[in-house]
Amino acid sequence: DVKVTQSSRYLVKRTGEKVFLECVQDMDHENMFWYRQDPGLGLRLIYFSYDVKMKEKGDIPEGYSVSREKKERFSLILESASTNQTSMYLCASSSDRVPGNTIYFGEGSWLTVV
Amino acid sequence: AQTVTQSQPEMSVQEAETVTLSCTYDTSESDYYLFWYKQPPSRQMILVIRQEAYKQQNATENRFSVNFQKAAKSFSLKISDSQLGDAAMYFCAYRSPTQGGSEKLVFGKGTKLTVNP
């Protein structure tokens, strides 16, 4: 089975702190994604990457950056956390080799910024 | 840009009965994929069912089936013989065909399903 692992399930950070959310997948997937989930807004794409060192902005990239130095790892970075970034963050991955390109999700990281 | 609309923020169903969750989408493309994902309280998003737009036959996975109406741009999910474990948020999602190796899902805002014993 595909495994997408987000290293932190629950984090509490202070305003202005730099925050790293880490995601690792074990199925050699080319594509990786970071979504943000908020009540009433559904899931919104922050950034995605289709190859090592490649990244593309999603729908809401402001205030975020990403890093993909290795194929299996995709990090989301909040350079200076703000309270409006309190949310659930979901990492996902997929492969172009898989018919239908199903996207697999991690368990989510709940970030609270105080 | 593609959009996905789930018009029912919340639904409830009695255990063992059938419930249908609605989803409509807007696109100018002729080839695409549609998905229903389930997110239980544990927060793990799980793929429930997938439909390729070029297939006329509706997808089915055990108690889950879809009613795909391409002309109407409608993609509803039917859950038969509902079980307590079906209680979750359900998200409808749209994906364009892969272009240049990149892809993304567009999600609806979700429908919260409650199953009453």
Side-chain angles (χ1 to χ4, degrees):
Chain A
D1 285 347
V2 175
K3 186 116 173 124
V4 179
T5 303
Q6 295 181 231
S7 56
S8 302
R9 290 296 309 274
Y10 302 96
L11 305 93
V12 180
K13 298 292 182 181
R14 295 191 181 278
T15 300
E17 276 193 78
K18 190 169 186 176
V19 181
F20 292 86
L21 299 181
E22 305 288 345
C23 175
V24 176
Q25 49 91 6
D26 66 357
M27 285 300 292
D28 199 36
H29 284 175
E30 303 85 23
N31 309 312
M32 296 190 74
F33 310 82
W34 275 105
Y35 285 89
R36 171 177 172 161
Q37 182 178 5
D38 299 287
L41 297 177
L43 279 76
R44 295 177 292 168
L45 182 64
I46 305 172
Y47 268 97
F48 65 101
S49 168
Y50 54 88
D51 200 353
V52 176
K53 297 190 185 293
M54 304 300 288
K55 61 183 180 183
E56 288 198 22
K57 294 180 179 179
D59 300 316
I60 52 164
E62 296 79 19
Y64 303 94
S65 63
V66 291
S67 172
R68 189 150 182 219
E69 296 297 319
K70 294 184 178 180
K71 191 174 185 180
E72 67 272 18
R73 186 179 298 271
F74 192 37
S75 303
L76 180 68
I77 304 158
L78 288 68
E79 294 289 341
S80 178
S82 63
T83 55
N84 63 12
Q85 293 178 309
T86 292
S87 186
M88 164 69 76
Y89 291 88
L90 288 167
C91 177
S93 72
S94 72
S95 172
D96 293 334
R97 301 186 301 272
V98 176
N101 295 53
T102 297
I103 293 182
Y104 298 89
F105 286 84
E107 293 185 320
S109 297
W110 184 262
L111 172 66
T112 301
V113 182
V114 296
Chain B
Q2 293 82 15
T3 59
V4 176
T5 302
Q6 293 178 249
S7 59
Q8 307 151 317
E10 296 187 24
M11 292 280 286
S12 63
V13 63
Q14 290 296 126
E15 196 174 4
E17 293 188 349
T18 296
V19 65
T20 299
L21 307 184
S22 300
C23 173
T24 59
Y25 57 94
D26 186 26
T27 184
S28 58
E29 296 172 322
S30 60
D31 189 21
Y32 47 86
Y33 295 90
L34 296 165
F35 303 84
W36 277 99
Y37 278 87
K38 169 185 176 181
Q39 188 181 43
S42 68
R43 290 287 180 175
Q44 180 86 53
M45 292 277 277
I46 303 165
L47 177 67
V48 175
I49 202 164
R50 174 178 64 224
Q51 175 81 42
E52 291 89 343
Y54 64 85
K55 290 186 177 179
Q56 292 186 336
Q57 186 174 5
N58 289 326
T60 299
E61 287 287 341
N62 300 314
R63 297 182 295 106
F64 297 87
S65 62
V66 298
N67 183 6
F68 173 49
Q69 301 290 328
K70 190 172 184 179
K73 297 179 182 176
S74 171
F75 183 60
S76 60
L77 175 70
K78 186 172 82 171
I79 306 173
S80 304
D81 186 24
S82 297
Q83 301 175 1
L84 295 177
D86 294 334
M89 283 289 289
Y90 286 82
F91 291 95
C92 179
Y94 170 102
R95 186 179 70 73
S96 297
T98 303
Q99 295 176 351
S102 65
E103 59 177 82
K104 61 180 183 179
L105 282 176
V106 177
F107 285 87
K109 294 183 179 180
T111 296
K112 183 180 179 181
L113 178 66
T114 301
V115 181
N116 300 310

